Amino acid sequence: QKEVEQNSGPLSVPEGAIASLNCTYSDRGSQSFFWYRQYSGKSPELIMFIYSNGDKEDGRFTAQLNKASQYVSLLIRDSQPSDSATYLCAVTNTGNQFYFGTGTSLTVIP
Amino acid sequence: GAGVSQSPSNKVTEKGKDVELRCDPISGHTALYWYRQSLGQGLEFLIYFQGNSAPDKSGLPSDRFSAERTGGSVSTLTIQRTQQEDSAVYLCASSLRWGGQETQYFGPGTRLLVL
């Protein structure tokens, strides 16, 4: 069983819509949760970090963490073509080791 | 510097040779991470430094891999006796966490090709 699972997609949404990306993890002791955006041929960039249950909002991005159900999601409101990328979910354990999902490819259609 | 830098940007080597990859983190970032990403794959965590210390080296793929960090700054990842399956992009990231916030930046990566 993989530590972190994501739907590989591709996920397509029209411009202006809400994109919803989901991630589940197997280690109930996971401590921190991250969402990264990675454009093709580029390095990842951190867009959201969350460690408490509930929602965390930053601009058009909202991360939602539910530790009881072991999932973390990312909502992108008012999706733009520039949001088209691969989104990586990662979790860390108490030893600060990172476990990444394989990423979800998002395409925002103008 | 303004960001995380890595060198070399590209490295082609022959199977069996040793290679050394360098990472210069953002000044003041206490945490430093090494990852690798094979073509079309997700990121694989290799090792984490807090200051100069690496609490857990179990993420390193084999004993041919080693890493060190000196002065709480520059880190080097060394791969001895390279194999073709070591070919990947090796990424370094540095981060600073405070008050429930985290800033984390990746370097541009070193593309390693083992022939």
Side-chain angles (χ1 to χ4, degrees), chain A residues 2 5-11 21-22 85-87 102-106:
Chain A
K2 291 184 180 178
E5 301 219 32
Q6 295 181 251
N7 187 330
S8 63
L11 173 66
L21 305 163
N22 298 307
T86 296
Y87 289 80
T102 53
T104 297
S105 175
L106 172 67

Side-chain angles (χ1 to χ4, degrees), chain B residues 22-73:
Chain B
R22 176 186 169 108
C23 173
D24 280 273
I26 292 173
S27 178
H29 279 196
T30 54
L32 185 147
Y33 304 86
W34 282 100
Y35 307 91
R36 72 177 176 182
Q37 188 169 34
S38 302
L39 188 63
Q41 302 297 310
L43 264 72
E44 177 186 3
F45 169 84
L46 299 180
I47 195 168
Y48 151 73
F49 286 92
Q50 180 62 41
N52 291 334
S53 174
D56 187 342
K57 300 181 180 180
S58 63
L60 295 174
S62 76
D63 59 8
R64 296 185 295 104
F65 287 72
S66 62
E68 65 175 15
R69 188 181 186 194
T70 56
S73 181

Side-chain angles (χ1 to χ4, degrees), chain A residues 29-107:
Chain A
S30 296
Q31 299 286 305
S32 300
F33 307 84
F34 302 78
W35 281 100
Y36 300 85
R37 177 175 63 197
Q38 186 173 27
Y39 294 111
S40 181
K42 301 294 186 183
S43 297
E45 52 183 318
L46 178 66
I47 54 174
M48 289 295 286
F49 160 64
I50 187 169
Y51 61 91
S52 297
N53 271 328
D55 294 0
K56 181 179 180 181
E57 186 175 317
D58 184 1
R60 296 186 297 112
F61 299 98
T62 298
Q64 299 175 317
L65 175 60
N66 184 322
K67 290 187 177 182
S69 300
Q70 293 175 242
Y71 82 79
V72 55
S73 62
L74 179 70
L75 301 177
I76 307 174
R77 291 181 299 282
D78 187 25
S79 295
Q80 301 297 309
S82 59
D83 294 327
S84 298
T86 296
Y87 289 80
L88 301 169
C89 169
V91 305
T92 64
N93 58 15
T94 53
N96 231 8
Q97 292 180 313
F98 275 70
Y99 298 91
F100 284 82
T102 53
T104 297
S105 175
L106 172 67
T107 300

